């Protein structure tokens, strides 16, 4: 019998799922990001602490992200645009999901690449046309997966990843967002 190793500790995930069924309050997490304006449309966002399992938690290291706009928008292009980070989140979440589901199903992966494209009419954010929305018109995710599996099994991996993706859910279902001044 061949052992599948995609680097995912599925047993720990299954154990956590069972434990949290009996302790739903511990499953309530608060993820945090703090953004600081630098100049123009350039900002940096840091992530380190979050709340989960009933108490404050920390990532091993603080991570900093730089956001800006390209020079064609009269900016310095110090980093990707904030809306591109949305694509990063979706790609990362769905790709991680494919690895997790494959591990759970005993499918050995050799490579997984997801390409995410967002079609965006920027007239909305520029205020050039009030009928054009500010965000993406649509988003497309394309996977290229090399695995010891049939096409149907690979399609099922992607479908299950999509079903369990927190980022996919946040993008495709209404999410309450509150913006306030402290």
């Amino acid at each position: 019998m061949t052992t599948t190793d995609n680097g995912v500790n599925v047993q720990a995930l299954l154990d956590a799922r069972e434990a949290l069924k009996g302790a739903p309050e511990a499953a309530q997490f608060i993820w945090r990001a703090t953004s600081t304006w630098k100049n123009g449309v350039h900002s940096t966002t840091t992530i380190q602490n979050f709340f989960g399992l009933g108490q404050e938690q920390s990532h091993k290291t603080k991570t900093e992200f730089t956001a800006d706009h390209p020079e064609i928008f009269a900016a310095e292009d110090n980093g990707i645009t904030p809306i591109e980070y949305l694509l990063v989140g979706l790609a990362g979440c769905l790709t991680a999901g494919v690895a997790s589901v494959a591990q759970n199903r005993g499918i050995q992966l050799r490579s997984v690449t997801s390409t995410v494209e967002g079609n965006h009419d920027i007239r909305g954010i520029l205020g050039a046309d009030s009928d054009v929305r500010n965000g993406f018109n649509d988003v497309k995710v394309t996977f290229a997966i090399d695995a010891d599996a049939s096409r149907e099994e690979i399609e099922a991996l992607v479908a299950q990843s999509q079903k369990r993706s927190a980022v996919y859910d946040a993008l495709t279902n209404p999410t309450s967002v509150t913006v306030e001044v402290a």
Side-chain angles (χ1 to χ4, degrees), residues 76-100:
E76 297 295 318
D77 204 7
N78 290 301
I80 67 173
T81 64
I83 201 161
E84 287 172 300
Y85 277 111
L86 204 60
L87 301 178
V88 170
L90 182 59
C93 194
L94 289 172
T95 302
V98 165
S100 298

Side-chain angles (χ1 to χ4, degrees), residues 71-140:
E71 289 178 346
I72 61 170
F73 291 161
E76 297 295 318
D77 204 7
N78 290 301
I80 67 173
T81 64
I83 201 161
E84 287 172 300
Y85 277 111
L86 204 60
L87 301 178
V88 170
L90 182 59
C93 194
L94 289 172
T95 302
V98 165
S100 298
V101 175
Q103 183 71 41
N104 191 43
R105 294 183 181 179
I107 296 172
Q108 183 62 53
L109 300 172
R110 285 184 287 281
S111 67
V112 178
T113 302
S114 61
T115 302
V116 184
E117 298 176 335
N119 291 316
H120 190 199
D121 183 340
I122 66 167
R123 291 177 299 161
I125 62 173
L126 294 174
D129 186 337
S130 61
D131 292 330
V132 174
R133 66 176 292 184
N134 294 329
F136 288 128
N137 300 323
D138 57 77
V139 175
K140 178 182 177 185

Side-chain angles (χ1 to χ4, degrees), residues 11-24:
Q11 191 57 54
L13 296 174
L14 295 173
D15 292 347
R17 179 173 70 184
E18 286 306 308
L20 292 174
K21 282 182 180 178

